[in-house]
Amino acid sequence: MSEGNNIKSEVLRAATVSGAGPVKRIAIFGSTGSIGTQALDVIAANPDKFSAEVLTAHSNEDLLIRQALSFRPNMVVIGDEKKYAKIKDALASTEVKVFAGEKALEEVAALDCYDLMLAAIVGYAGLKPTLKAISQGKTIALANKETLVVAGDIVMRKAVENRVPIIPVDSEHSAIFQCLVGETRNKIEKVILTASGGPFLGRKPNYLVNVKREHALQHPNWSMGAKITIDSATLMNKGLEMIEAKWLFNMRPDQIQVVIHPQSIIHSMVQFEDGSIKAQMGLPDMKLPIQYAMAFPKRIPNQFPRYDFKKVSTLSFEEPDLRTFRNLALAIEALNKGGNLPSVLNAANEIAVYAFLRNRIGFLDMTDVIEKTMARIPFINNPTLEEYFDSDGEARNFAADLINL
Ligand code: NAD
Ligand code: MG
């Protein structure tokens, strides 16, 4: 049995026995985002199964206040400390506790008042609270893929040490996870991540050079937060997901394949050592993987629209165009070399996407920023957590200097 299967069986076993009572108490880190709001819809539809105990947001205080008034969590955290007074005021007549600041995210992650953390903050900012929750033995439903891209070895090791199940929310990884139920003893030959190809599928660099943020924010199949929508347009998202898959399922880089599947009906596949391929399918709707991660190991009924084989007749597949979508090639390089390179790639990408979303650089410039940053920051083969933090900071500074941010 491979080490990956050991981790997997540990995760499946621990998740089966986790949960304090019939109602799972959920902490949504990033409750005002695309994933966070959909998770609250799932909770609202299943009040007998879930309660929202902790809600956190970075700057959208109005939505956080509305969510708090409607779900009456134990506590809320606002990242931006300037917004604390307004929230405190708005919730004065309730029992909801209010905290503010980056440190508070970690402190709240350590509390006993919840059973499962839905890690739905975007970017590197999600790493520290998630690590804190793992050290406290909390089950993690992981949407924040950057956590595993930056420090996947340390995150997974700590999860095993603390017997913490990490249940993927990312649709591809949820698909793979679902395909693996019942397969604990069987070796995986490879995993096949499907990608929609984004809004610029089939386009060439002479088109991409003129693409603006409004174009890039139009995803054909999924409605998501701004950062991941841009990552989907550049195919960086799939690169981050390859690295995420490496850590979640303990795969070698050559066991992770990407295939473009524009209809987004097959969410990903697992090929076992007998050549048999299992796929998980359905309409593209993040509520399903969110609900699955929160309810695991149970499936719960819902009213989400169903895929109808009579309506869509063609499912198609093609190779990704790595010469045009070079971000994916850079991510594959980081996946292969390992060490601190994925954390450098991630940091440079966060800066590049931030700049693109503010019309400071063009679509193809994002790739240049990432490539130059990867070439500049010294390689560390087996980084400590501190070294991952340092690499992230150095890469951010270098990338920001490159574009005069
Ligand atoms: P989003 O931008 O819609 O929401 C992000 C949330 O994080 C918000 O609640 C925001 O307040 C909070 N946040 C942002 N910056 C923060 C900071 N510095 N400190 C603390 N909180 C901060 O993002 P999203 O689309 O919901 O994505 C969340 C995560 O889930 C990402 O890592 C993304 O890759 C992953 N994911 C999203 C989808 C999707 O369909 N949206 C699918 C798969 C994976
Ligand atoms: Mg995904």
Side-chain angles (χ1 to χ4, degrees):
M1 197 189 290
S2 75
E3 202 190 332
N5 284 1
N6 281 334
I7 292 175
K8 194 179 71 197
S9 57
E10 186 59 36
V11 164
L12 293 173
R13 188 206 61 77
T16 311
V17 298
S18 73
V23 174
K24 245 186 235 176
R25 300 168 305 167
I26 314 285
I28 307 183
F29 278 63
S31 66
T32 52
S34 161
I35 294 288
T37 50
Q38 294 182 82
L40 282 172
D41 291 345
V42 170
I43 292 175
N46 296 281
D48 55 324
K49 297 186 179 67
F50 308 116
S51 69
E53 291 297 319
V54 178
L55 302 177
T56 88
H58 189 49
S59 56
N60 189 345
E61 76 276 23
D62 291 331
L63 181 54
L64 185 64
I65 290 167
R66 282 205 303 280
Q67 292 178 337
L69 289 173
S70 141
F71 287 88
R72 299 298 169 117
N74 192 326
M75 58 191 71
V76 298
V77 185
I78 183 82
D80 183 349
E81 299 186 28
K82 293 193 292 294
K83 314 240 162 126
Y84 172 80
K86 181 173 171 189
I87 298 175
K88 186 81 188 147
D89 218 37
L91 301 180
S93 64
T94 72
E95 308 253 284
V96 181
K97 302 178 202 68
V98 183
F99 301 98
E102 201 187 319
K103 264 269 151 248
L105 280 178
E106 276 183 77
E107 285 160 13
V108 165
L111 297 178
D112 270 343
C113 65
Y114 72 98
D115 305 309
L116 177 145
M117 172 192 275
L118 175 64
I121 288 176
V122 60
Y124 174 83
L127 172 62
K128 288 182 186 171
T130 307
L131 276 172
K132 180 60 81 177
I134 291 172
S135 71
Q136 299 300 308
K138 306 292 188 178
T139 300
I140 308 290
L142 188 73
N144 177 258
K145 64 192 83 188
E146 294 90 346
T147 285
L148 290 181
V149 174
V150 173
D153 54 342
I154 292 176
V155 171
M156 293 310 287
R157 195 168 62 236
K158 284 196 187 301
V160 171
E161 278 166 16
N162 290 287
R163 303 194 151 221
V164 161
I166 303 219
I167 308 167
V169 170
D170 211 351
S171 58
E172 297 75 4
H173 308 74
S174 173
I176 292 168
F177 190 82
Q178 293 181 54
C179 291
L180 291 177
V181 171
E183 301 282 2
T184 314
R185 288 168 188 282
N186 294 322
K187 265 199 190 147
I188 301 168
E189 200 162 81
K190 66 175 178 182
V191 294
I192 301 150
L193 298 175
T194 51
S196 70
F200 306 132
L201 178 60
R203 300 294 190 177
K204 294 293 170 200
N206 62 354
Y207 177 91
L208 295 178
V209 71
N210 294 317
V211 152
K212 294 279 175 284
R213 77 187 281 280
E214 284 66 30
H215 275 89
L217 284 172
Q218 303 299 320
H219 195 278
N221 303 343
W222 301 93
S223 158
M224 309 177 285
K227 194 245 172 193
I228 185 176
T229 305
I230 301 304
D231 284 345
S232 300
T234 64
L235 293 200
M236 177 56 90
N237 184 49
K238 214 46 56 178
L240 300 178
E241 290 182 354
M242 292 178 82
I243 301 169
E244 182 185 12
K246 166 184 164 156
W247 295 119
L248 276 173
F249 307 113
N250 200 30
M251 295 284 101
R252 293 186 314 272
D254 63 287
Q255 290 177 293
I256 307 166
Q257 184 186 347
V258 168
V259 62
I260 303 288
H261 166 46
Q263 299 81 15
S264 297
I265 297 299
I266 294 184
H267 299 310
S268 278
M269 299 175 260
V270 179
Q271 182 172 313
F272 294 93
E273 60 179 349
D274 61 355
S276 179
I277 298 172
K278 272 179 149 181
Q280 186 265 340
M281 304 171 67
L283 288 174
D285 179 351
M286 283 307 296
K287 282 204 191 106
L288 184 56
I290 292 169
Q291 169 181 301
Y292 184 82
M294 287 185 354
F296 183 81
K298 287 204 178 115
R299 291 187 184 273
I300 53 181
N302 59 42
Q303 300 304 316
F304 308 159
R306 270 37 175 171
Y307 178 68
D308 181 354
F309 276 92
K310 286 183 225 129
K311 282 194 188 139
V312 181
S313 53
T314 308
L315 299 182
S316 62
F317 306 93
E318 59 190 271
E319 284 277 299
D321 175 0
L322 293 180
R323 291 162 72 95
T324 301
F325 295 93
R326 290 180 50 239
N327 277 9
L328 178 55
L330 291 174
I332 293 173
E333 184 190 334
L335 167 74
N336 284 324
K337 290 199 182 143
N340 63 337
L341 204 53
S343 71
V344 170
L345 168 101
N346 178 69
N349 181 56
E350 287 192 23
I351 296 291
V353 171
Y354 176 92
F356 175 74
L357 281 170
R358 279 155 194 78
N359 297 317
R360 299 287 294 271
I361 60 173
F363 190 82
L364 296 177
D365 297 333
M366 288 191 275
T367 309
D368 289 342
V369 170
I370 299 161
E371 191 166 34
K372 288 192 175 122
T373 309
M374 286 170 72
R376 174 58 72 94
I377 305 303
F379 182 72
I380 306 173
N381 195 23
N382 225 328
T384 61
L385 190 56
E386 281 309 316
E387 285 171 327
Y388 278 129
F389 295 159
D390 292 346
S391 297
D392 173 86
E394 284 171 43
R396 262 168 222 275
N397 289 338
F398 182 77
D401 282 349
L402 272 181
I403 46 190
N404 296 318
L405 266 188

